[in-house]
Amino acid sequence: MPYDVKKLLEIMLKKNISDIHLKANSAPLIRLNGELMEASSEKLSPDAIRSVADALLDKEQKKSFESEYDIDFAYSVEGLARFRVNISMERGNPTLVLRVIPTKVKSFEDLNLPASVLTKLCSESRGLVLITGITGAGKTTTMNAMIDYVNSNIKCKIVTVEDPIEHYHFDKKSSISQREIGRDAKSFEMALKYVLRQDPDIIVIGELRDYESMRAAMTAAETGHLVMATIHTVNAAQTVERIISLYPPHLEAIVRSQFANVIKGIVAQRLVLSKNNSMLYPITEIMIGTSLIRNIITEGKYSEINKAVEQGSFYGMKTFDQNLYELCMEGKISTETALENATNIDDITLRLKGIERTS
C-alpha cells in the first residue's frame, strides 16, 4: 500500500475523520463531522488511483471488480484499523471511498443511543427488529452495538450474514458465526436459505435489500427466531410501507398481518452536528410493536403511525422531532440544528418556545 495513502489513513484516525474519497484528477476528500472537504490541494493521477486500488484488492476481489466494475469489502491495516472500502468505475478510472470502522464496539451509552429501549429489543426471544436510515446514518454501528450487548449478556447462538463483515465479534456469553457474502456464501439469498438449519437463536442480516431477503427474515421471525436487520429507509412509516411494497399486490393484506405479528421495533436514525461542532449525535425515531401499532399496520393505515409513535412514550417510542427537542433542551445541539433537521418545523418551534401542540 503506498506510503502516502497509509499516512492519510493514520491522519483519519487521529483527526476523527470518518471517510476518504479518492478520484482520478481530483484532490482527496475527507468527511469530518458530516462535512466533506479537501484533504490537500494535490490532485491524484489515474495511475495513482489504480495503484491504490491494486494494493487494496486481493486476487479474487480483482477478478470480481474486473467483471462487475463495483465492489464492497473490508480492509485491515495491521496495527492501525479496519476500513470499509467501495471501489467503482467513473469515467474509465477507479474511484475509491474508504470508511473507518472503529476497532472497538461502543456501548449504547457511549454512542448516545436510547439504551433502555435497545436493551429491551435485544432481549426479545423472537420477532423482527429493524434499524433504518440513509447511508452514513450509523445503522451498522448501532447494529454491532446490539450484537455486542447480546453477546455480553445472553447465552445464545447468533448467525450474521453481512456484506462485508465490518466488526469481528468473538464469543463471550454467546456463540457467534459471521458469514460474509462472496467469501462464506455466494449471495444473501443462498445464505438465508440455509440459515435456519444452523440452529440460530438470533439472525442478523446486514441489509434487507429485496423481496427474497425480506421473505427470509419474516419466515425466520415467524418460526421463533429474533431477526435483526438494517434497511435503507428514512423513518418508521416509510419502513413499513417499503416492506409491504416488496410483495406482490395480491398478497398485501396477508403480508400486513404477518408483518404486524412479527415486528418488535423499528429504530430509525439520523446524525446531527453537536452544539460545539466537535461530534455527531444520533437522533432516533423509535416505533415499538404495540397492539395499536399492529392494528394500524394490519389495516394499512400507515399515515397514523407517526401520531401513534408521538403518543407512545410510555412504551419508549419517540419521533425524530421529540428527540431533537430533547437534545436541544439538554444543550447538546443548537436550536438552528434542531430546526434544520425537524420533520415539522412549526411544531418543534412551538415546543422550543414552551408551547405544546394541542392537536
Side-chain angles (χ1 to χ4, degrees):
M1 188 173 185
Y3 172 77
D4 59 343
V5 176
K6 183 176 180 180
K7 185 177 180 181
L8 188 54
L9 297 180
E10 291 172 345
I11 294 172
M12 286 178 69
L13 296 174
K14 291 178 182 177
K15 301 293 186 180
N16 200 32
I17 295 165
S18 62
D19 302 84
I20 176 172
H21 297 240
L22 304 176
K23 185 173 69 171
N25 303 312
S26 297
L29 298 176
I30 60 173
R31 191 177 295 279
L32 177 63
N33 292 328
E35 295 293 325
L36 202 61
M37 61 190 72
E38 286 191 353
S40 72
S41 58
E42 182 182 352
K43 294 184 177 181
L44 298 170
S45 69
D47 286 342
I49 296 295
R50 291 191 193 98
S51 69
V52 175
D54 189 63
L56 293 171
L57 295 165
D58 62 26
K59 186 176 179 180
E60 291 302 315
Q61 290 167 340
K62 286 176 184 177
K63 287 182 180 179
S64 176
F65 181 63
E66 287 169 1
S67 62
E68 302 293 334
Y69 303 114
D70 282 282
I71 188 168
D72 276 311
F73 59 98
Y75 184 85
S76 296
V77 180
E78 189 174 352
L80 189 61
R82 278 168 58 80
F83 300 84
R84 178 167 182 165
V85 184
N86 173 271
I87 306 179
S88 58
M89 293 297 292
E90 191 260 349
R91 299 183 184 182
N93 292 305
T95 179
L96 298 88
V97 179
L98 296 91
R99 170 166 293 176
V100 176
I101 302 173
T103 53
K104 182 181 178 182
V105 179
K106 294 182 178 180
S107 68
F108 300 137
E109 291 83 2
D110 291 338
L111 294 169
N112 295 291
L113 290 168
S116 60
V117 174
L118 291 177
T119 54
K120 184 177 179 180
L121 290 175
C122 287
S123 302
E124 294 284 356
S125 59
R126 64 184 66 85
L128 181 63
V129 176
L130 299 174
I131 310 300
T132 82
I134 63 172
T135 300
K139 298 186 299 297
T140 303
T141 299
T142 298
M143 180 64 75
N144 279 286
M146 295 174 75
I147 295 171
D148 187 65
Y149 174 83
V150 174
N151 189 24
S152 301
N153 294 278
I154 302 172
K155 194 171 183 178
C156 64
K157 171 70 178 290
I158 305 169
V159 177
T160 77
V161 182
E162 304 171 71
D163 183 21
I165 293 172
E166 294 195 6
H167 291 276
Y168 287 123
H169 294 270
F170 301 96
D171 293 0
K172 295 179 183 177
K173 275 197 172 183
S174 296
S175 173
I176 299 184
S177 174
Q178 290 182 273
R179 307 193 69 202
E180 182 169 284
I181 302 304
R183 289 183 181 273
D184 307 310
K186 290 185 177 180
S187 66
F188 271 105
E189 182 180 355
M190 292 299 293
L192 294 173
K193 180 179 179 180
Y194 296 104
V195 71
L196 295 182
R197 300 179 187 177
Q198 294 157 25
D199 191 31
D201 297 294
I202 297 177
I203 300 167
V204 179
I205 303 173
E207 182 184 344
L208 293 177
R209 300 181 175 181
D210 50 30
Y211 166 71
E212 292 297 336
S213 59
M214 189 63 235
R215 187 176 67 171
M218 291 264 278
T219 298
E222 285 182 311
T223 52
H225 302 82
L226 178 63
V227 179
M228 301 191 296
T230 71
I231 185 170
H232 285 271
T233 47
V234 298
N235 56 36
Q238 189 195 70
T239 302
V240 176
E241 290 189 72
R242 167 78 182 280
I243 287 169
I244 303 303
S245 71
L246 291 174
Y247 289 78
H250 68 279
L251 295 177
E252 182 178 336
I254 296 173
V255 174
R256 288 202 308 263
S257 178
Q258 289 177 322
F259 183 71
N261 286 331
V262 300
I263 189 64
K264 295 297 182 180
I266 296 175
V267 180
Q269 285 190 199
R270 300 176 190 169
L271 295 176
V272 298
L273 197 59
S274 64
K275 195 170 186 177
N276 60 6
N277 298 329
S278 65
M279 62 179 291
L280 293 171
Y281 274 109
I283 56 169
T284 54
E285 177 173 278
I286 300 171
M287 186 198 85
I288 302 298
T290 62
S291 58
L292 174 59
I293 289 293
R294 291 197 296 271
N295 287 336
I296 289 172
I297 295 172
T298 301
E299 295 171 9
K301 298 179 180 179
Y302 310 130
S303 61
E304 296 181 10
I305 289 177
N306 189 69
K307 185 176 181 180
V309 169
E310 189 178 56
Q311 298 177 350
S313 60
F314 177 81
Y315 301 98
M317 291 193 268
K318 69 174 67 175
T319 64
F320 280 124
D321 286 357
Q322 287 173 325
N323 196 192
L324 283 168
Y325 173 77
E326 290 171 0
L327 291 175
C328 194
M329 291 296 97
E330 292 169 5
K332 293 179 178 178
I333 65 173
S334 67
T335 301
E336 292 75 16
T337 297
L339 294 174
E340 286 171 5
N341 290 276
T343 302
N344 187 323
I345 295 177
D346 292 337
D347 185 21
I348 200 167
T349 298
L350 291 174
R351 289 178 183 271
L352 291 171
K353 288 181 178 179
I355 306 171
E356 287 291 338
R357 194 177 63 176
T358 57
S359 60

